[in-house]
Amino acid sequence: MVKHILVTGGSRGIGRAVAILAGEHGWSVGVNYAGNDKAAAETVAAVKAAGGNAIAIRGDVAKEADVIAMFDATQQAFGPLDGLVNNAGVVAPTADLADMSLERLKTVFDTNILGSVLCAREAARRMSTRRGGQYEGRGGAIVNLSSAAARLGSPNLFVDYATSKGAIDVLTLGLSKELGPEGIRVNAVRPGIIETDIHASAGEPDRAARLGPTVPLGRSGTATEVAEAIIWLLGDEASYVTGALLDVAGGR
Ligand code: NAP
């Protein structure tokens, strides 16, 4: 079945890999991104080359008007929504909590927590078999991006980020129960050390290469390996899976 999904933070990293794999399944993808027009355009081209359809939608997940607009744009382009990948997320340079500014904390919590909650709310409104609005909700699936950091706590690195991912786990558990009766499955993946640009944002561009050998499987993971799990959770093959927190972390 052709699915219509929105991937937040779809221009790069894990979100891009999800969009391209969705394209390989013939799905249609709203590719949201924050500001990197070139990366978003490259992702859209890659989804189309893979056999799917895609549009790029610039917008900040922490801004309500932007979130509503990105859902509207996806549904106007493709029709009723079947899935949301709540993937947009940020990390700030490594530091002890005692040295973190209010501005930094707000950026991390606004993007990772408020942004994910706003997007999940919008998906619930549109996909619920009890609501659905003008597009008549037909149920669907939400996959939230948590992190192994929610288990590890990330002391002296980014406790703020780990805290935000703990919130994602709770959001997943609560929403899976709230939305199950409305035809929406809600799951999370918890990636470990994955080779993307996010480590440069933390001031450690070589983090994946440095820490890969310490992982039980002996290496860091790829964005595509995480995307495979996300696509499975979105798809009909996972029809009885909800409220799961799936570690994709090489045993870390
Ligand atoms: P990434 O390579 O840094 O890419 C981040 C993506 O999010 C980009 O597409 C960026 O758009 C977008 N973005 C950032 N802030 C946004 C905002 N406010 N609104 C909309 N889009 C925004 O990140 P990644 O490594 O793929 O991580 C994706 C998710 O996986 C995140 O939630 C992250 O916490 C989680 N995760 C990653 C790892 C890892 O090791 N990589 C491990 C555990 C969990 P632009 O391109 O326009 O900047």
Side-chain angles (χ1 to χ4, degrees):
M1 175 186 158
V2 175
K3 289 194 186 287
H4 310 147
I5 66 169
L6 172 63
V7 181
T8 67
S11 50
R12 291 184 288 125
I14 294 168
R16 168 183 280 184
V18 170
I20 293 171
L21 265 188
E24 289 178 10
H25 284 73
W27 296 0
S28 300
V29 188
V31 177
N32 157 254
Y33 67 105
N36 193 331
D37 299 319
K38 184 168 174 284
E42 285 169 5
T43 301
V44 166
V47 174
K48 290 179 176 171
N53 201 358
I55 55 166
I57 314 157
R58 187 172 181 155
D60 182 349
V61 291
K63 295 194 173 135
E64 184 180 36
D66 287 13
V67 169
I68 290 169
M70 66 182 77
F71 277 83
D72 282 347
T74 303
Q75 291 189 296
Q76 275 156 20
F78 307 127
L81 193 72
D82 302 302
L84 164 69
V85 183
N86 236 338
N87 169 76
V90 292
V91 68
T94 54
D96 291 352
L97 176 62
D99 297 319
M100 292 181 192
S101 68
L102 176 63
E103 189 187 18
R104 168 207 172 110
L105 294 174
K106 280 188 165 166
T107 300
V108 170
F109 294 153
D110 280 357
T111 308
N112 296 5
I113 304 178
L114 181 63
S116 296
V117 172
L118 278 175
C119 289
R121 183 195 73 178
E122 218 42 47
R125 287 178 172 173
R126 292 159 193 255
M127 297 195 300
S128 164
T129 49
R130 200 159 60 75
R131 302 175 191 253
Q134 78 182 100
Y135 288 105
E136 199 180 323
R138 56 187 188 188
I142 297 172
V143 180
N144 296 320
L145 267 291
S146 174
S147 169
R151 287 186 280 104
L152 301 170
S154 308
N156 311 111
L157 295 171
F158 25 71
V159 161
D160 54 344
Y161 173 83
T163 301
S164 75
K165 294 303 184 179
I168 295 300
D169 285 359
V170 176
L171 173 70
T172 303
L173 295 175
L175 263 192
S176 66
K177 293 172 183 161
E178 186 167 308
L179 295 178
E182 301 183 31
I184 302 173
R185 295 181 297 102
V186 186
N187 295 290
V189 294
R190 293 197 291 204
I193 299 167
I194 310 301
E195 296 145 18
T196 73
D197 299 341
I198 203 168
H199 308 293
S201 315
E204 283 197 80
D206 65 341
R207 182 175 164 81
R210 184 169 56 81
L211 292 180
T214 68
V215 174
L217 285 189
R219 62 175 177 86
S220 51
T222 67
T224 300
E225 288 177 305
V226 180
E228 292 279 8
I230 293 170
I231 291 289
W232 178 73
L233 286 168
L234 284 175
D236 299 335
E237 294 77 7
S239 53
Y240 201 56
V241 181
T242 196
L245 309 176
L246 178 58
D247 290 311
V248 185
R252 182 176 150 87

